[in-house]
Amino acid sequence: DNILLQHMVAQGEAEVDLHIEMLHEDHDKLSAHEVFEVQMRYFRLCMNHAFRHKMKRVVFIHGVGKGILKDEIVKELKQYPELHFFNAPMSKYGVGATSISPTKLHY
């Protein structure tokens, strides 16, 4: 019941690629808005699982593009003042990933 199991890279740590080709088979048939909605829905689902399963760290790979997806992710993350998030290491992800530490939340 933990969607993050398929994204695990270490105990309590996951890496989620939000590029649409990783999330939807027929992505080439989606409008830009539909792509964005699929990505945000999956991001929210993974966030819920990260909180529920007390993950130590989750990296969301959102890419660079126009920055719309990253901006929306950051906007949502700011709603959790106890949550620690930052740009993931540039040496591994470039500028297209955000790392979160949801274990600071007490659920």
Side-chain angles (χ1 to χ4, degrees):
D1 68 335
N2 181 359
I3 198 151
L4 292 173
L5 290 177
Q6 63 186 317
H7 301 290
M8 298 295 279
V9 293
Q11 182 66 33
E13 298 184 13
E15 188 175 273
V16 179
D17 191 339
L18 295 174
H19 286 93
I20 193 62
E21 52 275 357
M22 302 301 292
L23 304 177
H24 198 282
E25 281 186 31
D26 296 323
H27 59 87
D28 53 335
K29 296 177 181 160
L30 301 176
S31 69
H33 179 73
E34 290 170 325
V35 166
F36 175 75
E37 289 297 317
V38 167
Q39 291 170 313
M40 286 305 297
R41 193 167 33 251
Y42 197 72
F43 165 75
R44 291 179 186 119
L45 177 65
C46 289
M47 283 292 294
N48 288 335
H49 282 256
F51 294 143
R52 189 176 317 134
H53 297 282
K54 297 179 175 49
M55 299 292 291
K56 291 188 295 187
R57 182 175 71 95
V58 181
V59 174
F60 288 99
I61 303 169
H62 43 68
V64 180
K66 295 178 183 175
I68 296 168
L69 181 60
K70 179 181 180 178
D71 290 347
E72 190 62 28
I73 287 172
V74 168
K75 182 177 161 185
E76 290 210 15
L77 293 174
K78 286 181 177 179
Q79 295 178 28
Y80 302 96
E82 313 86 4
L83 179 66
H84 183 65
F85 68 94
F86 50 91
N87 290 329
M90 186 178 284
S91 60
K92 183 171 181 181
Y93 302 99
V95 293
T98 300
S99 182
I100 66 161
S101 297
T103 54
K104 294 190 176 206
L105 290 176
H106 303 289
Y107 284 107

